[in-house]
Amino acid sequence: MAGRVIGFIGLGNMGSHMARNLMKAGHKVVVHDSVAVSEAALVKEGAKAARSPAEVAAQCPTVVTMLPAGPQVRAVYTGKNGILSTVQKGALLVDTSTIDMDSCKAVSSAAHKAGAVYMDAPVSGGVMAAKNAALTFMVGGPEFDQTKQVLQHMGAKFFHCGEVGTGQAAKICNNMMLAISMIGTSETMNLGMRLGLDKVLLTEILSVSSGRTWSVDTYNPVPGVKEGVPSANNYEGGFGTSLMTKDLGLAQDAATSTQSPTPLGSLAHQIYRLMVNNGLGSKDFSVIYQFLKQQKNK
């Protein structure tokens, strides 16, 4: 697929790297973002800017979106000057956002009526994986092979989960587990350090023991343990606490609708909501370590 024209809408912490990797693979990329400076950075590297999602869709038989939540996805696809107002017949629309199932299925239905194919393909791996084209994609929809041809330039692992919406199902399950494990890692590191253990030594022990998790050995929340992660950068530039809170809310909605008991998921959601209310919404979700560090057992 080298040399194809691909649209990319949503150039935040993740999307900017993903679009850049498409360019590195030799594709001509047409970009749009509500923040002009985000567009300008990609244009300097060779992308073409469009004034609206509609303008992107008019030029591109393939469009990738990476947006914060369901309302933004609905607006970008079905709103005024949205993708579906000018979409090409047979176009492939790949939404890599993490959104609610209702929005996912509503946009899919609207795309089908417009003669296009909509695929949900939320991602996991974080900003560093986006930068290094090492993301994991969980894909729902009928055209997996065609979609993978696009995603392969931005990721390393690809799973076809089933019909439209199943990619979202896999993603919210993953992020619920991630939030729970990050809280557990933060509690453990805080306790160990208060008991006098060196933070690096404790991380090394946990990384080769039965308590090992991605939150311990790859995305450690304690400053000074790992380089190149948000905790080494004042918790900037990663996966925002507000976004994790949103995903945990989606997981709780799904748990309610399926009557699935998720007591730890519910507690994690409450904790992250409390962090947002304490002004930490824009910080990476691993800032839970600092939040807990400031608390004392009464």
Side-chain angles (χ1 to χ4, degrees):
M1 286 186 64
R4 294 284 297 274
V5 179
I6 299 176
F8 203 106
I9 300 171
L11 304 172
N13 289 338
M14 299 287 288
S16 58
H17 292 302
M18 294 164 69
R20 190 172 288 110
N21 284 327
L22 288 173
M23 293 164 59
K24 289 179 181 177
H27 297 295
K28 298 176 182 178
V29 179
V30 180
V31 299
H32 175 72
D33 193 274
S34 58
V35 180
V37 67
S38 299
E39 284 185 2
L42 270 294
V43 169
K44 286 183 179 178
E45 298 178 39
K48 178 182 177 182
R51 292 173 294 181
S52 67
E55 191 172 298
V56 173
Q59 301 176 60
C60 305
T62 299
V63 179
V64 180
T65 51
M66 171 55 94
L67 300 161
Q72 290 88 348
V73 171
R74 286 179 184 255
V76 163
Y77 278 88
T78 64
K80 183 179 179 180
N81 293 319
I83 290 170
L84 298 183
S85 66
T86 60
V87 71
Q88 300 178 23
K89 298 296 182 183
L92 178 65
L93 309 176
V94 184
D95 183 31
T96 63
S97 316
T98 301
I99 62 174
D100 61 283
M101 300 287 283
D102 287 344
S103 292
C104 179
K105 295 194 173 181
V107 172
S108 175
S109 177
H112 179 73
K113 291 177 182 177
V117 176
Y118 173 88
M119 303 286 290
D120 68 301
V123 307
S124 180
V127 174
M128 288 304 297
K131 183 177 181 180
N132 296 326
L135 291 167
T136 295
F137 287 89
M138 294 150 273
V139 185
E143 297 294 341
F144 177 68
D145 291 340
Q146 185 181 359
T147 302
K148 186 177 176 181
Q149 291 180 36
V150 179
L151 301 182
Q152 67 183 349
H153 304 297
M154 300 178 284
K157 295 182 180 179
F158 316 91
F159 297 94
H160 189 203
C161 300
E163 63 184 15
V164 169
T166 56
Q168 299 296 340
K171 175 61 187 290
I172 62 174
C173 288
N174 176 80
N175 275 22
M176 183 176 71
M177 178 179 284
L178 174 59
I180 293 168
S181 71
M182 182 58 77
I183 293 170
T185 297
S186 298
E187 289 181 349
T188 298
M189 294 298 295
N190 184 53
L191 174 61
M193 292 165 66
R194 289 187 182 186
L195 289 171
L197 290 168
D198 176 77
K199 59 188 177 183
V200 175
L201 173 63
L202 180 56
T203 298
E204 290 177 354
I205 293 169
L206 294 173
S207 296
V208 295
S209 301
S210 56
R212 187 190 67 81
T213 68
W214 184 83
S215 300
V216 169
D217 62 20
T218 302
Y219 210 81
N220 197 284
V222 182
V225 173
K226 294 284 182 182
E227 294 296 326
V229 296
S231 62
N233 187 38
N234 194 32
Y235 301 96
E236 301 290 345
F239 182 58
T241 292
S242 60
L243 292 176
M244 177 57 86
T245 305
K246 179 262 297 183
D247 289 357
L248 287 167
L250 296 178
Q252 288 309 294
D253 289 343
T256 299
S257 67
T258 58
Q259 298 185 353
S260 301
T262 56
L264 293 182
S266 178
L267 285 172
H269 187 212
Q270 292 177 47
I271 292 169
Y272 272 94
R273 287 177 63 188
L274 185 59
M275 290 167 63
V276 170
N277 290 339
N278 277 268
L280 297 173
S282 64
K283 295 289 188 179
D284 180 76
F285 78 106
S286 62
V287 77
I288 179 65
Y289 167 75
Q290 293 290 356
F291 181 73
L292 292 174
K293 182 181 176 182
Q294 296 166 8
Q295 312 299 314
K296 290 194 177 179
N297 190 23
K298 297 180 181 179

